[in-house]
Structure formats: C-alpha cells, structure tokens
Amino acid sequence: MRTLVVLAHPDLAASRVNAALAEAARPVDGVTLHDLYAAYPDLLVDVEREQRLLLEHDRIVLQFPFYWYSAPPLLKKWLDEVFLRGFAYGSNGTSLRGKALRVATTAGASEEVYRPDGFNRFTVTELLRPFDATANITGMAYEEPFVVHGTHGLDDAALAAHQERYRAALAAGMPRERDLALA
Ligand SMILES: Cc1cc2nc3c(=O)[nH]c(=O)nc-3n(C[C@H](O)[C@H](O)[C@H](O)COP(=O)(O)O)c2cc1C
C-alpha cells in the first residue's frame, strides 16, 4: 500500500506536534510525505502534479493542526482545486474511487472539551464530517480520524507515544508477506 501524507501546517518551523508526527511518518515504508506549504509557498497549487500524486497512492492521509474546528486554508484550496469534477466526482470522475482517505489532526483542546456536554459541544470526529462526505462523493473509504487532543499540555512522553501510534497507523495496511508472495 502506498500512502500519501498531505501535510498542511502554515508554520511548520514553529510546530511541535505536527513536526513530530511528520518525522514519525517519513521513514515508514510506502509513505510519501508531501508538505503542501513548503511545495506552494505562494499558495499556487500545481493541480496536475497533485492529481498525479493522488493517482500514484492508495491511501491519502490529510495531516493538519485543527484551526477553527477545521483545516488550515491551503488544504481547503487544495481540495477545491484538485478534487475536480471529471477527476474526483461526476460520471467520469472515478480517479479516487477505491482509495482510502484518513484525517490526522492535532487539537489544542483536550478530549473532555470535545464532548456533547463539553465546551466545544461536538467531538473532533463529528466536526470532521465534511471530509467523511468528501470521501463518500469521491468513492473513497473513509478511515477513522487519527486525533491528538490537548496539544497545549502534551509532555514529551505523551508526544512520543502519539508518534508511535501514528507510525503504527501508517504502517498498518501494508501488504503482508503472504500477499506479496501471491502478487
Ligand atoms: C489559527 C488557530 C486556530 C486554532 N483553532 C483551534 C481549534 O479550533 N480547536 C483547537 O482545539 N485548537 C485550535 N488551535 C490550536 C492548534 O490546533 C494547536 O496549536 C496545534 O494543533 C498544535 O500543533 P503544532 O505543534 O503542530 O502547531 C488553533 C490554533 C491556531 C493558531
């Protein structure tokens, strides 16, 4: 399985958590780490390049810090410009069908705050429903979001545990030796 991690952090140099997750992802077999803000500092997305990258991978992971209950703006622009009718949806838009889509996000607030009876009223998974709907219309299989809560209070040991959890999540779904032998 080839996994494309589309990383969208507007200031990766100042990032602690996403930078650590990206470092955990980079060496995983089959993973391509694609830093959107580094690729497009002028925010001008190369649509053909992005569509080619999507075609070359089986699973797409959208990794970003949770900003205003959503993703940073370049990821939205990337979706608007790359997931075109005739490519991602519509009667001839079948290029993403059968691939997997997963969100990996980091939220400043703790999990308790993201509960029906908590301050933010909704879980992060609920707030990520637009990505679930995007997977649906494009025929992608939506995987359970990978969420790191409480980034503001995360100590080094907890961060290391999340790195390991992320590495394992990305490594999962790699072809087993038996599948390789049968290929
Ligand atoms: C513009 C902005 C908006 C944010 N919005 C939220 C939010 O809606 N919910 C939340 O839990 N944290 C929010 N945060 C906190 C970030 O999610 C948190 O700082 C980030 O996940 C930490 O990851 P990093 O170390 O990779 O930057 C926001 C931060 C910024 C700068």
Side-chain angles (χ1 to χ4, degrees):
M1 158 132 22
R2 292 158 304 171
T3 299
L4 178 66
V5 176
V6 179
L7 169 63
H9 195 301
D11 189 4
L12 197 59
S15 159
R16 176 165 174 255
V17 183
N18 281 275
L21 293 179
E23 285 322 302
R26 197 186 297 279
V28 176
D29 267 0
V31 167
T32 306
L33 186 67
H34 182 39
D35 180 347
L36 271 194
Y37 278 91
Y40 305 115
D42 53 6
L43 310 185
L44 296 175
V45 176
D46 180 341
V47 174
E48 276 182 29
R49 176 189 177 199
E50 295 305 311
Q51 290 184 340
R52 209 167 41 245
L53 270 173
L54 289 166
L55 290 174
E56 287 167 0
H57 294 82
D58 312 297
R59 178 167 55 178
I60 314 303
V61 175
L62 306 177
Q63 185 195 319
F64 54 86
F66 212 40
Y67 278 8
W68 284 109
Y69 311 106
S70 185
L74 183 54
L75 188 67
K76 178 63 165 60
K77 190 170 187 283
W78 178 86
L79 277 169
D80 292 352
E81 296 180 3
V82 177
F83 279 39
L84 292 177
R85 184 179 183 86
F87 176 78
Y89 72 100
S91 50
N92 296 319
T94 56
S95 300
L96 302 178
R97 196 173 285 176
K99 297 181 187 293
L101 184 70
R102 185 165 202 185
V103 168
T105 194
T106 66
S110 68
E111 191 168 10
E112 296 78 66
V113 174
Y114 283 102
R115 285 184 185 163
D117 58 347
F119 184 76
N120 282 336
R121 299 176 47 222
F122 306 102
T123 67
V124 170
T125 296
E126 284 170 339
L127 293 164
L128 291 170
R129 284 295 176 228
F131 294 97
D132 193 342
T134 298
N136 178 58
I137 197 174
T138 56
M140 302 175 86
Y142 189 66
E143 298 181 350
E144 189 65 21
F146 176 98
V147 184
V148 175
H149 286 100
T151 59
H152 298 321
L154 216 55
D155 64 23
D156 288 347
L159 182 57
H162 286 302
Q163 281 183 297
E164 176 50 27
R165 195 165 66 86
Y166 195 43
R167 192 205 58 73
L170 291 171
M174 288 296 294
R176 291 162 298 169
E177 277 179 36
R178 187 173 152 277
D179 297 336
L180 287 174
L182 291 173

Coordinates of all heavy atoms in Angstrom, one line a residue, residues 63-118:
Q63 N -3.0 15.5 6.9 CA -2.5 15.8 8.3 C -2.4 17.3 8.5 O -1.8 18.0 7.7 CB -1.1 15.2 8.5 CG -0.6 15.4 9.9 CD 0.9 15.1 10.1 OE1 1.4 14.2 9.5 NE2 1.6 16.0 10.8
F64 N -3.0 17.8 9.6 CA -3.0 19.2 9.8 C -3.3 19.6 11.3 O -4.0 18.8 11.9 CB -4.0 19.9 8.9 CG -5.4 19.4 9.0 CD1 -6.3 19.8 9.9 CD2 -5.8 18.4 8.1 CE1 -7.6 19.3 10.0 CE2 -7.1 17.8 8.2 CZ -8.0 18.3 9.1
P65 N -2.9 20.8 11.7 CA -3.4 21.2 13.0 C -4.8 21.7 12.9 O -5.2 22.3 11.9 CB -2.5 22.4 13.3 CG -2.0 22.9 12.0 CD -2.0 21.7 11.1
F66 N -5.6 21.4 13.9 CA -7.1 21.8 13.9 C -7.1 23.3 14.1 O -6.7 23.8 15.1 CB -7.8 21.1 15.0 CG -9.2 20.7 14.8 CD1 -9.6 20.3 13.6 CD2 -10.1 20.8 15.8 CE1 -11.0 19.9 13.4 CE2 -11.4 20.4 15.6 CZ -11.9 20.0 14.4
Y67 N -7.6 24.0 13.1 CA -7.7 25.5 13.2 C -9.2 25.9 13.0 O -9.8 25.6 12.0 CB -6.9 26.2 12.0 CG -5.4 26.3 12.3 CD1 -4.8 25.7 13.4 CD2 -4.6 27.0 11.4 CE1 -3.4 25.9 13.6 CE2 -3.2 27.2 11.6 CZ -2.6 26.6 12.7 OH -1.3 26.7 12.9
W68 N -9.7 26.5 14.0 CA -11.1 26.9 13.9 C -12.0 25.8 13.5 O -12.8 25.9 12.6 CB -11.3 28.2 13.0 CG -10.9 29.4 13.8 CD1 -9.7 30.1 13.5 CD2 -11.5 30.0 15.0 NE1 -9.6 31.1 14.5 CE2 -10.7 31.0 15.4 CE3 -12.6 29.7 15.7 CZ2 -11.0 31.8 16.5 CZ3 -12.9 30.4 16.8 CH2 -12.1 31.5 17.2
Y69 N -11.8 24.6 14.2 CA -12.6 23.4 14.0 C -12.6 22.9 12.6 O -13.5 22.2 12.1 CB -14.1 23.7 14.4 CG -14.2 24.4 15.8 CD1 -14.5 25.7 15.9 CD2 -13.9 23.6 16.9 CE1 -14.5 26.3 17.2 CE2 -13.9 24.2 18.2 CZ -14.2 25.6 18.3 OH -14.2 26.2 19.5
S70 N -11.5 23.2 11.9 CA -11.3 22.8 10.5 C -9.9 22.7 10.1 O -9.0 22.7 11.0 CB -12.1 23.8 9.7 OG -12.1 23.4 8.3
A71 N -9.6 22.7 8.8 CA -8.2 22.6 8.4 C -7.7 24.0 8.0 O -8.4 24.9 7.7 CB -8.2 21.7 7.1
P72 N -6.3 24.2 8.0 CA -5.8 25.4 7.5 C -6.1 25.7 6.0 O -6.4 24.8 5.3 CB -4.3 25.2 7.7 CG -4.1 24.2 8.7 CD -5.3 23.3 8.5
P73 N -6.1 27.0 5.6 CA -6.7 27.3 4.3 C -6.1 26.7 3.1 O -6.8 26.4 2.1 CB -6.5 28.9 4.3 CG -5.5 29.2 5.3 CD -5.6 28.1 6.3
L74 N -4.8 26.4 3.1 CA -4.2 25.8 1.9 C -4.8 24.4 1.6 O -4.9 24.0 0.4 CB -2.7 25.7 1.9 CG -1.9 25.2 0.7 CD1 -2.4 26.0 -0.6 CD2 -0.4 25.3 0.9
L75 N -5.1 23.7 2.6 CA -5.7 22.3 2.4 C -7.1 22.5 1.8 O -7.5 21.7 0.9 CB -5.8 21.5 3.7 CG -6.2 20.1 3.5 CD1 -5.1 19.3 2.7 CD2 -6.5 19.4 4.8
K76 N -7.9 23.5 2.2 CA -9.2 23.7 1.6 C -9.0 24.1 0.1 O -9.7 23.6 -0.8 CB -9.9 24.8 2.4 CG -11.3 25.1 1.8 CD -12.3 24.0 1.9 CE -13.7 24.4 1.7 NZ -14.0 25.0 0.4
K77 N -8.0 25.0 -0.1 CA -7.8 25.4 -1.5 C -7.3 24.2 -2.4 O -7.7 24.0 -3.5 CB -6.7 26.5 -1.5 CG -6.4 27.2 -2.8 CD -5.5 28.4 -2.5 CE -5.4 29.3 -3.8 NZ -4.5 28.7 -4.8
W78 N -6.5 23.4 -1.8 CA -6.0 22.1 -2.5 C -7.2 21.3 -2.9 O -7.3 20.8 -4.0 CB -5.0 21.4 -1.5 CG -4.5 20.2 -2.0 CD1 -3.3 20.0 -2.8 CD2 -4.9 18.8 -1.7 NE1 -3.1 18.6 -3.0 CE2 -4.1 17.9 -2.3 CE3 -6.0 18.3 -0.9 CZ2 -4.2 16.5 -2.2 CZ3 -6.2 17.0 -0.8 CH2 -5.3 16.1 -1.5
L79 N -8.1 21.1 -1.9 CA -9.3 20.3 -2.2 C -10.2 20.9 -3.3 O -10.6 20.3 -4.3 CB -10.2 20.1 -0.9 CG -9.8 19.0 0.0 CD1 -10.6 19.2 1.3 CD2 -10.1 17.6 -0.6
D80 N -10.4 22.2 -3.2 CA -11.2 22.9 -4.2 C -10.7 22.8 -5.6 O -11.4 22.7 -6.5 CB -11.3 24.4 -3.8 CG -12.1 24.7 -2.5 OD1 -12.7 23.8 -2.0 OD2 -12.1 25.9 -2.1
E81 N -9.3 22.9 -5.7 CA -8.7 23.0 -7.0 C -8.3 21.6 -7.6 O -8.2 21.5 -8.8 CB -7.5 23.9 -6.9 CG -7.9 25.3 -6.6 CD -6.7 26.3 -6.4 OE1 -5.6 25.9 -6.7 OE2 -7.0 27.5 -6.1
V82 N -8.1 20.6 -6.7 CA -7.6 19.3 -7.2 C -8.7 18.3 -7.3 O -8.7 17.5 -8.2 CB -6.5 18.8 -6.2 CG1 -5.9 17.4 -6.6 CG2 -5.3 19.8 -6.2
F83 N -9.6 18.3 -6.4 CA -10.7 17.3 -6.5 C -11.8 17.8 -7.4 O -12.9 18.2 -7.1 CB -11.3 17.1 -5.1 CG -10.5 16.2 -4.2 CD1 -9.1 16.2 -4.2 CD2 -11.2 15.3 -3.3 CE1 -8.4 15.3 -3.4 CE2 -10.5 14.5 -2.5 CZ -9.1 14.5 -2.5
L84 N -11.4 17.8 -8.7 CA -12.3 18.4 -9.7 C -13.3 17.4 -10.2 O -13.1 16.2 -10.2 CB -11.4 18.9 -10.9 CG -10.5 20.0 -10.7 CD1 -9.7 20.3 -11.9 CD2 -11.3 21.3 -10.2
R85 N -14.4 18.0 -10.8 CA -15.4 17.2 -11.5 C -14.7 16.6 -12.7 O -13.9 17.2 -13.4 CB -16.6 18.1 -11.9 CG -17.7 17.4 -12.6 CD -18.8 18.4 -13.0 NE -19.9 17.6 -13.6 CZ -20.9 17.1 -12.8 NH1 -20.9 17.3 -11.5 NH2 -21.8 16.4 -13.4
G86 N -15.0 15.3 -12.9 CA -14.3 14.6 -14.0 C -13.0 13.9 -13.6 O -12.5 13.1 -14.3
F87 N -12.5 14.3 -12.4 CA -11.4 13.6 -11.8 C -11.8 12.9 -10.5 O -11.7 11.7 -10.4 CB -10.3 14.6 -11.4 CG -9.1 14.0 -10.7 CD1 -8.2 13.2 -11.4 CD2 -9.0 14.1 -9.3 CE1 -7.1 12.6 -10.7 CE2 -7.9 13.5 -8.7 CZ -7.0 12.8 -9.4
A88 N -12.4 13.7 -9.6 CA -12.8 13.1 -8.3 C -14.2 12.8 -8.1 O -14.6 12.0 -7.3 CB -12.4 14.2 -7.2
Y89 N -15.1 13.4 -8.9 CA -16.5 13.1 -8.8 C -17.2 13.4 -10.2 O -16.5 13.9 -11.1 CB -17.2 13.9 -7.7 CG -17.3 15.4 -8.0 CD1 -18.5 15.9 -8.4 CD2 -16.2 16.2 -7.9 CE1 -18.6 17.3 -8.7 CE2 -16.3 17.6 -8.2 CZ -17.5 18.1 -8.6 OH -17.6 19.4 -8.9
G90 N -18.5 13.1 -10.3 CA -19.2 13.2 -11.6 C -19.1 11.9 -12.3 O -18.3 11.0 -11.9
S91 N -19.8 11.8 -13.4 CA -20.0 10.5 -14.0 C -18.6 9.9 -14.5 O -18.4 8.7 -14.5 CB -21.0 10.5 -15.2 OG -20.7 11.6 -16.0
N92 N -17.7 10.8 -15.0 CA -16.4 10.3 -15.4 C -15.3 10.5 -14.3 O -14.1 10.2 -14.6 CB -16.0 11.0 -16.7 CG -16.9 10.7 -17.8 OD1 -17.4 9.5 -18.0 ND2 -17.3 11.7 -18.6
G93 N -15.7 11.0 -13.2 CA -14.7 11.3 -12.2 C -14.5 10.2 -11.2 O -14.9 10.3 -10.1
T94 N -13.8 9.2 -11.7 CA -13.6 8.0 -10.8 C -12.2 7.7 -10.4 O -11.9 6.7 -9.9 CB -14.1 6.8 -11.6 OG1 -13.3 6.7 -12.8 CG2 -15.6 6.9 -12.0
S95 N -11.3 8.8 -10.5 CA -9.9 8.5 -10.3 C -9.6 8.1 -8.8 O -8.6 7.5 -8.5 CB -9.1 9.8 -10.6 OG -9.3 10.1 -12.0
L96 N -10.4 8.6 -7.9 CA -10.1 8.3 -6.5 C -10.9 7.1 -5.9 O -10.6 6.7 -4.8 CB -10.4 9.6 -5.6 CG -9.6 10.8 -6.1 CD1 -10.1 12.0 -5.2 CD2 -8.1 10.6 -6.0
R97 N -11.7 6.6 -6.7 CA -12.6 5.5 -6.2 C -11.8 4.3 -5.8 O -10.8 3.9 -6.4 CB -13.6 5.1 -7.4 CG -14.7 4.3 -6.9 CD -15.7 4.0 -8.1 NE -16.5 5.2 -8.4 CZ -17.3 5.3 -9.4 NH1 -17.5 4.2 -10.2 NH2 -18.0 6.4 -9.6
G98 N -12.1 3.8 -4.6 CA -11.5 2.6 -4.1 C -10.2 3.0 -3.2 O -9.7 2.1 -2.5
K99 N -9.8 4.2 -3.2 CA -8.7 4.6 -2.4 C -9.2 4.9 -1.0 O -10.4 5.0 -0.8 CB -8.0 5.9 -2.9 CG -7.3 5.7 -4.3 CD -6.7 7.0 -4.8 CE -6.2 6.9 -6.2 NZ -5.1 5.9 -6.4
A100 N -8.3 5.0 0.0 CA -8.7 5.3 1.4 C -8.4 6.7 1.7 O -7.4 7.3 1.2 CB -8.0 4.4 2.3
L101 N -9.2 7.3 2.5 CA -9.0 8.7 3.0 C -9.0 8.7 4.5 O -9.9 8.2 5.1 CB -10.1 9.7 2.4 CG -9.9 11.1 2.8 CD1 -8.6 11.7 2.0 CD2 -11.1 12.0 2.5
R102 N -8.0 9.4 5.1 CA -7.9 9.5 6.5 C -7.5 10.9 6.9 O -6.6 11.4 6.3 CB -7.0 8.4 7.1 CG -6.9 8.4 8.6 CD -6.2 7.1 9.1 NE -6.7 6.9 10.5 CZ -6.2 6.0 11.2 NH1 -5.3 5.1 10.8 NH2 -6.7 5.8 12.5
V103 N -8.0 11.4 8.0 CA -7.6 12.7 8.5 C -6.7 12.4 9.7 O -7.1 11.5 10.6 CB -8.8 13.6 8.9 CG1 -8.3 14.7 9.7 CG2 -9.5 14.0 7.7
A104 N -5.6 13.1 9.9 CA -4.8 13.1 11.1 C -4.7 14.5 11.5 O -4.1 15.3 10.8 CB -3.4 12.5 10.8
T105 N -5.2 14.8 12.7 CA -5.2 16.2 13.1 C -4.9 16.3 14.6 O -5.0 15.3 15.4 CB -6.6 16.8 12.8 OG1 -6.5 18.3 13.0 CG2 -7.7 16.4 13.8
T106 N -4.4 17.5 14.9 CA -4.0 17.8 16.3 C -4.8 19.0 16.8 O -4.9 20.0 16.1 CB -2.5 18.1 16.3 OG1 -2.2 19.4 15.6 CG2 -1.6 17.0 15.7
A107 N -5.4 18.8 18.0 CA -6.2 19.9 18.5 C -5.6 20.4 19.8 O -5.2 19.6 20.7 CB -7.6 19.3 18.8
G108 N -5.7 21.7 20.0 CA -5.1 22.3 21.2 C -5.9 21.9 22.4 O -5.3 21.6 23.5
A109 N -7.2 21.8 22.3 CA -8.1 21.5 23.5 C -8.1 20.0 23.8 O -7.9 19.2 22.9 CB -9.5 22.0 23.2
S110 N -8.4 19.7 25.0 CA -8.4 18.3 25.5 C -9.7 17.5 25.0 O -10.7 18.2 24.5 CB -8.4 18.2 27.0 OG -9.6 18.7 27.5
E111 N -9.7 16.2 25.1 CA -10.8 15.4 24.6 C -12.1 15.8 25.4 O -13.2 15.8 24.8 CB -10.5 13.9 24.8 CG -11.5 13.0 24.1 CD -11.0 11.6 24.0 OE1 -10.0 11.3 24.6 OE2 -11.6 10.8 23.2
E112 N -11.9 16.1 26.7 CA -13.1 16.4 27.5 C -13.9 17.6 27.0 O -15.1 17.7 27.1 CB -12.8 16.6 29.0 CG -12.1 15.5 29.7 CD -10.7 15.3 29.4 OE1 -9.9 16.1 29.7 OE2 -10.4 14.2 28.8
V113 N -13.1 18.5 26.4 CA -13.7 19.7 25.8 C -14.5 19.4 24.6 O -15.5 20.1 24.2 CB -12.6 20.8 25.5 CG1 -13.2 22.0 24.9 CG2 -11.9 21.2 26.8
Y114 N -14.1 18.3 23.9 CA -14.8 17.9 22.6 C -15.8 16.8 22.9 O -15.7 15.7 22.4 CB -13.7 17.5 21.6 CG -13.0 18.6 20.9 CD1 -11.7 19.0 21.3 CD2 -13.6 19.4 19.9 CE1 -11.1 20.0 20.7 CE2 -13.0 20.4 19.3 CZ -11.7 20.7 19.7 OH -11.1 21.8 19.1
R115 N -16.7 17.1 23.8 CA -17.8 16.1 24.1 C -19.1 16.8 24.0 O -19.2 18.0 24.2 CB -17.6 15.5 25.5 CG -16.4 14.5 25.5 CD -16.3 13.9 26.9 NE -15.1 13.0 27.0 CZ -14.6 12.6 28.1 NH1 -15.1 13.0 29.3 NH2 -13.6 11.8 28.1
P116 N -20.2 16.1 23.9 CA -21.6 16.7 23.8 C -21.8 17.6 25.0 O -22.4 18.7 24.9 CB -22.5 15.5 23.8 CG -21.7 14.4 23.2 CD -20.3 14.6 23.7
D117 N -21.3 17.2 26.2 CA -21.5 18.0 27.4 C -20.3 18.9 27.7 O -20.2 19.6 28.7 CB -21.8 17.1 28.6 CG -20.7 16.1 28.8 OD1 -19.8 15.9 27.9 OD2 -20.7 15.5 29.9
G118 N -19.3 19.0 26.7 CA -18.1 19.8 26.9 C -18.3 21.1 26.3 O -19.3 21.4 25.6

